[in-house]
Amino acid sequence: MRLLHVFIAFILLLMSFTPCQARQLIVLFGTDSKPPKSWKKENSPCGIQVDILREIEFRTDLTFDIHMYPWKRAYMNAIEGRGGIFGLSMTKERLKIFDYSQVMCMDEMRLITLKGHEFPFHSIQDLKDKTIGVTRGASYGDTYDNALGTVFTPCYDGQPLIRLRMLLAGRTDAALIGPGKTAITYIVRNDPRLKANIDKFSVLETPFNIDPNFIGFHKSMRQGENLLKINRALKSMWKDGTISRIVNKY
């Protein structure tokens, strides 16, 4: 009996020194159709931003339950406080709604036209009276928001693939796509119809803008403590080059 008591005491002693920190599960929404930034492959989330989120998990006690939808649906879920959202641009209106993380990555937005239909682009005013293919429900900053329907006419869709097909059919003057030329190359080369017409596309030299992307939580979710953990991880990832290495993989 004494041996049994000693054994139990020994087990209890071991348990007292064993770390038993429960991981916190956080629901996050993101777009399912913006390669190489984020998309679904065989029904699993993948892409630059998903890899960044997985690295944040490794550096914190957080676990992300990632749900990928068309952007507008993802955004509405975040607006309703059902979870956070990643790939979020910052605007004055959104700052009233969301608590933001540090920058998780930069999204270089580019304008694509058909060859022979290029036009000079240096500012938003150069889109005057043009029809531009854009993501439904997306924003790329206050300048973009203010120009919608006033400077240029938006032609909304749910994914860049449709946007480029609309451009190819002559339905728009240009398509707005990011992040950078990498995204355009990926989309065109992975769609037989677009690939067959790859020589018909032209990327305007000047980027539309360089759009910082963030993780955001509706203010009602009160995620301040978890945002501190996320921000510490992101800060270290920028500092040690991890984010650059993730981006360069694609």
Side-chain angles (χ1 to χ4, degrees), residues 203-231:
V203 182
L204 298 189
E205 188 62 30
T206 303
F208 177 82
N209 71 354
I210 308 296
D211 184 43
N213 279 193
F214 306 83
I215 300 168
F217 295 95
H218 194 279
K219 290 181 179 295
S220 65
M221 294 182 68
R222 302 181 184 278
Q223 291 293 304
E225 185 176 339
N226 287 331
L227 274 171
L228 287 175
K229 298 175 184 178
I230 290 169
N231 287 341

Side-chain angles (χ1 to χ4, degrees), residues 29-95:
F29 298 100
T31 182
D32 64 354
S33 57
K34 197 170 182 180
K37 192 169 82 168
S38 66
W39 79 101
K40 277 185 179 180
K41 185 177 182 180
E42 298 176 354
N43 213 35
S44 296
C46 56
I48 292 169
Q49 294 189 340
V50 174
D51 288 357
I52 291 172
L53 292 174
R54 296 310 184 201
E55 182 64 23
I56 294 172
E57 289 179 323
F58 179 74
R59 299 185 186 213
T60 66
D61 64 345
L62 306 177
T63 297
F64 298 123
D65 181 14
I66 299 173
H67 297 260
M68 310 283 276
Y69 299 126
W71 177 255
K72 187 174 182 179
R73 181 179 173 189
Y75 186 74
M76 289 309 300
N77 273 287
I79 284 283
E80 292 168 3
R82 296 177 181 173
I85 188 166
F86 62 94
L88 186 67
S89 301
M90 185 179 289
T91 68
K92 290 180 181 178
E93 287 304 311
R94 288 180 176 177
L95 279 168

Side-chain angles (χ1 to χ4, degrees), residues 148-204:
L148 283 173
T150 56
V151 176
F152 67 88
T153 300
C155 179
Y156 294 111
D157 61 66
Q159 56 178 300
L161 173 63
I162 296 173
R163 204 164 311 141
L164 288 178
R165 286 181 176 177
M166 294 283 280
L167 176 64
L168 189 61
R171 300 281 297 276
T172 59
D173 296 301
L176 183 61
I177 292 177
K181 293 182 179 180
T182 304
I184 300 157
T185 301
Y186 182 93
I187 296 161
V188 171
R189 288 182 177 174
N190 285 276
D191 179 76
R193 181 178 169 190
L194 295 179
K195 188 175 181 180
N197 291 279
I198 192 169
D199 293 335
K200 294 184 179 180
F201 295 107
S202 178
V203 182
L204 298 189

Side-chain angles (χ1 to χ4, degrees), residues 82-108:
R82 296 177 181 173
I85 188 166
F86 62 94
L88 186 67
S89 301
M90 185 179 289
T91 68
K92 290 180 181 178
E93 287 304 311
R94 288 180 176 177
L95 279 168
K96 299 174 186 176
I97 302 168
F98 293 101
D99 292 322
Y100 278 79
S101 71
Q102 298 292 321
V103 176
M104 68 181 303
C105 66
M106 304 300 291
D107 196 356
E108 183 186 72

